[in-house]
Coordinates of all heavy atoms in Angstrom, one line a residue:
P1306 N 99.8 96.0 100.5 CA 101.2 95.6 100.7 C 102.1 96.7 101.0 O 103.4 96.5 101.1 CB 101.6 94.9 99.4 CG 100.8 95.7 98.4 CD 99.5 96.1 99.0
Q1307 N 101.6 97.9 101.2 CA 102.4 99.1 101.4 C 101.7 100.0 102.4 O 100.5 99.8 102.7 CB 102.7 99.8 100.1 CG 101.6 100.0 99.2 CD 100.5 100.9 99.7 OE1 100.8 102.0 100.2 NE2 99.2 100.5 99.5
G1308 N 102.5 101.0 103.0 CA 102.0 101.7 104.1 C 101.4 103.1 103.8 O 101.6 104.0 104.6
D1309 N 100.6 103.2 102.7 CA 100.0 104.5 102.5 C 98.9 104.7 103.6 O 98.2 103.8 104.0 CB 99.3 104.6 101.1 CG 98.0 103.8 101.0 OD1 98.1 102.6 101.1 OD2 97.0 104.5 100.7
P1310 N 98.8 105.9 104.1 CA 97.9 106.1 105.3 C 96.4 106.3 104.8 O 95.8 107.3 104.9 CB 98.4 107.5 105.9 CG 98.9 108.2 104.7 CD 99.5 107.1 103.8
S1311 N 95.9 105.2 104.3 CA 94.6 105.2 103.6 C 93.5 105.8 104.6 O 93.4 105.4 105.8 CB 94.2 103.8 103.2 OG 92.9 103.8 102.7
S1312 N 92.7 106.7 104.1 CA 91.6 107.2 104.9 C 90.6 106.1 105.1 O 89.7 106.2 106.0 CB 90.9 108.4 104.2 OG 90.4 108.0 102.9
T1313 N 90.7 105.0 104.4 CA 89.8 103.9 104.6 C 89.8 103.4 106.1 O 88.8 103.0 106.6 CB 90.1 102.7 103.6 OG1 89.9 103.2 102.3 CG2 89.3 101.5 103.9
Y1314 N 91.0 103.4 106.6 CA 91.2 102.9 108.0 C 90.3 103.5 109.0 O 89.4 102.8 109.6 CB 92.6 103.0 108.5 CG 93.7 102.2 107.6 CD1 94.9 102.7 107.5 CD2 93.3 101.0 107.0 CE1 95.9 102.0 106.7 CE2 94.3 100.4 106.2 CZ 95.6 100.9 106.1 OH 96.5 100.2 105.3
P1315 N 90.4 104.8 109.2 CA 89.4 105.4 110.2 C 88.0 105.5 109.7 O 87.1 105.5 110.5 CB 90.0 106.8 110.4 CG 90.8 107.1 109.2 CD 91.4 105.8 108.8
E1316 N 87.8 105.5 108.4 CA 86.4 105.6 107.9 C 85.6 104.3 108.2 O 84.5 104.4 108.6 CB 86.5 105.9 106.4 CG 86.9 107.3 106.1 CD 87.3 107.6 104.7 OE1 87.3 106.7 103.9 OE2 87.6 108.8 104.4
V1317 N 86.3 103.2 108.0 CA 85.5 101.9 108.3 C 85.4 101.8 109.8 O 84.3 101.3 110.3 CB 86.2 100.7 107.6 CG1 86.2 100.8 106.1 CG2 87.5 100.4 108.2
M1318 N 86.4 102.2 110.5 CA 86.2 102.2 112.0 C 85.1 103.0 112.5 O 84.4 102.7 113.5 CB 87.6 102.6 112.6 CG 88.7 101.6 112.5 SD 90.2 102.2 113.3 CE 91.3 100.8 113.0
A1319 N 84.8 104.1 111.8 CA 83.7 105.0 112.2 C 82.4 104.3 112.1 O 81.4 104.7 112.7 CB 83.7 106.3 111.3
C1320 N 82.3 103.2 111.3 CA 81.1 102.5 111.1 C 81.1 101.2 112.0 O 80.2 100.3 111.8 CB 81.0 102.1 109.6 SG 81.0 103.5 108.5
G1321 N 82.0 101.1 112.9 CA 82.0 100.0 113.8 C 82.6 98.8 113.2 O 82.2 97.6 113.5
V1322 N 83.5 99.0 112.3 CA 84.2 97.8 111.5 C 85.6 97.8 111.8 O 86.4 98.7 111.4 CB 83.9 97.9 110.0 CG1 84.5 96.7 109.3 CG2 82.4 98.1 109.7
P1323 N 86.1 96.8 112.6 CA 87.6 96.7 112.7 C 88.2 96.1 111.5 O 87.6 95.8 110.5 CB 87.7 95.7 113.9 CG 86.4 94.9 113.9 CD 85.4 95.8 113.3
I1324 N 89.6 96.1 111.5 CA 90.3 95.7 110.3 C 91.3 94.6 110.6 O 92.0 94.5 111.6 CB 91.2 96.9 109.8 CG1 90.2 98.1 109.6 CG2 92.0 96.6 108.6 CD1 91.0 99.4 109.3
A1325 N 91.4 93.6 109.6 CA 92.4 92.6 109.6 C 93.1 92.8 108.3 O 92.5 92.8 107.2 CB 91.8 91.2 109.7
G1326 N 94.5 92.9 108.4 CA 95.2 93.1 107.1 C 96.7 92.9 107.3 O 97.2 92.5 108.3
Y1327 N 97.4 93.2 106.2 CA 98.8 93.1 106.2 C 99.5 94.1 107.1 O 99.0 95.2 107.3 CB 99.3 93.2 104.8 CG 99.0 92.1 103.8 CD1 98.9 92.4 102.4 CD2 98.7 90.8 104.3 CE1 98.6 91.4 101.5 CE2 98.3 89.8 103.4 CZ 98.3 90.1 102.0 OH 98.0 89.1 101.1
D1328 N 100.7 93.8 107.6 CA 101.3 94.6 108.6 C 102.1 95.7 108.0 O 103.3 96.0 108.3 CB 102.2 93.8 109.5 CG 103.3 93.0 108.7 OD1 103.3 93.0 107.5 OD2 104.2 92.4 109.4
N1329 N 101.5 96.5 107.1 CA 102.2 97.7 106.6 C 102.3 98.7 107.7 O 101.5 98.6 108.7 CB 101.5 98.2 105.3 CG 100.1 98.8 105.6 OD1 99.9 99.8 106.3 ND2 99.0 98.2 105.1
E1330 N 103.2 99.7 107.6 CA 103.4 100.6 108.7 C 102.3 101.5 109.0 O 102.1 101.9 110.2 CB 104.7 101.4 108.4 CG 104.7 102.2 107.1 CD 106.0 102.9 106.8 OE1 106.8 103.0 107.7 OE2 106.2 103.4 105.7
A1331 N 101.4 101.8 108.1 CA 100.3 102.6 108.4 C 99.2 101.9 109.2 O 98.7 102.4 110.1 CB 99.7 103.2 107.1
L1332 N 98.9 100.7 108.7 CA 97.9 99.9 109.5 C 98.4 99.5 110.9 O 97.7 99.6 111.9 CB 97.6 98.6 108.7 CG 96.5 97.7 109.4 CD1 95.2 98.4 109.6 CD2 96.3 96.4 108.6
E1333 N 99.7 99.2 111.0 CA 100.2 98.9 112.3 C 100.1 100.1 113.2 O 99.8 100.0 114.4 CB 101.7 98.5 112.2 CG 101.9 97.1 111.7 CD 103.3 96.5 111.9 OE1 104.2 97.3 111.6 OE2 103.5 95.4 112.5
G1334 N 100.4 101.3 112.7 CA 100.3 102.5 113.5 C 98.9 102.8 114.0 O 98.7 103.2 115.1
I1335 N 97.9 102.7 113.1 CA 96.5 103.0 113.5 C 96.0 101.9 114.5 O 95.2 102.2 115.4 CB 95.6 103.2 112.3 CG1 94.4 104.0 112.8 CG2 95.2 101.9 111.6 CD1 93.5 104.5 111.6
I1336 N 96.4 100.7 114.3 CA 96.0 99.7 115.2 C 96.6 99.9 116.6 O 95.9 99.8 117.6 CB 96.5 98.3 114.7 CG1 95.6 97.8 113.5 CG2 96.4 97.2 115.8 CD1 96.1 96.5 112.9
A1337 N 97.9 100.4 116.7 CA 98.5 100.8 117.9 C 97.7 101.9 118.7 O 97.6 101.8 119.9 CB 99.9 101.2 117.7
H1338 N 97.1 102.8 117.9 CA 96.4 103.9 118.5 C 94.9 103.5 118.8 O 94.4 104.0 119.8 CB 96.3 105.1 117.6 CG 97.6 105.9 117.6 ND1 97.7 107.1 118.3 CD2 98.8 105.7 117.0 CE1 98.9 107.6 118.2 NE2 99.6 106.8 117.4
S1339 N 94.3 102.6 118.1 CA 92.9 102.3 118.2 C 92.7 101.0 118.9 O 91.6 100.8 119.5 CB 92.3 102.2 116.8 OG 92.8 101.1 116.1
Q1340 N 93.6 100.0 118.9 CA 93.4 98.7 119.4 C 92.2 98.0 118.7 O 91.4 97.3 119.3 CB 93.2 98.7 120.9 CG 94.4 99.2 121.7 CD 95.7 98.4 121.4 OE1 95.7 97.2 121.6 NE2 96.7 99.1 120.9
A1341 N 92.0 98.3 117.4 CA 90.8 97.9 116.7 C 91.2 97.1 115.4 O 90.6 97.3 114.4 CB 89.9 99.1 116.4
G1342 N 92.2 96.3 115.5 CA 92.6 95.6 114.3 C 93.6 94.5 114.5 O 94.1 94.4 115.7
W1343 N 94.0 93.8 113.5 CA 94.9 92.7 113.6 C 95.8 92.8 112.3 O 95.3 92.8 111.2 CB 94.2 91.4 113.7 CG 93.3 91.3 114.8 CD1 93.5 90.7 116.1 CD2 91.9 91.7 114.9 NE1 92.4 90.9 116.9 CE2 91.4 91.4 116.1 CE3 91.1 92.3 113.9 CZ2 90.1 91.7 116.5 CZ3 89.8 92.6 114.3 CH2 89.3 92.3 115.6
A1344 N 97.1 92.8 112.5 CA 98.1 92.8 111.4 C 98.8 91.5 111.3 O 99.3 91.0 112.3 CB 99.0 94.0 111.6

């Protein structure tokens, strides 16, 4: 529910796993750069 820049985001992506989650500012930012998730 908050925008900490969790290392989990790029780490799961490295394994071919996209992300669906809440629209915190960190997730929205990495989705904008990767196009690999849904907020």
Side-chain angles (χ1 to χ4, degrees):
Q1307 44 68 43
D1309 76 297
S1311 176
S1312 61
T1313 297
Y1314 299 148
E1316 287 166 357
V1317 300
M1318 289 182 180
C1320 302
V1322 182
I1324 302 169
Y1327 292 156
D1328 60 350
N1329 67 68
E1330 54 184 349
L1332 181 58
E1333 284 193 312
I1335 199 167
I1336 288 175
H1338 280 259
S1339 67
Q1340 300 299 304
W1343 303 265

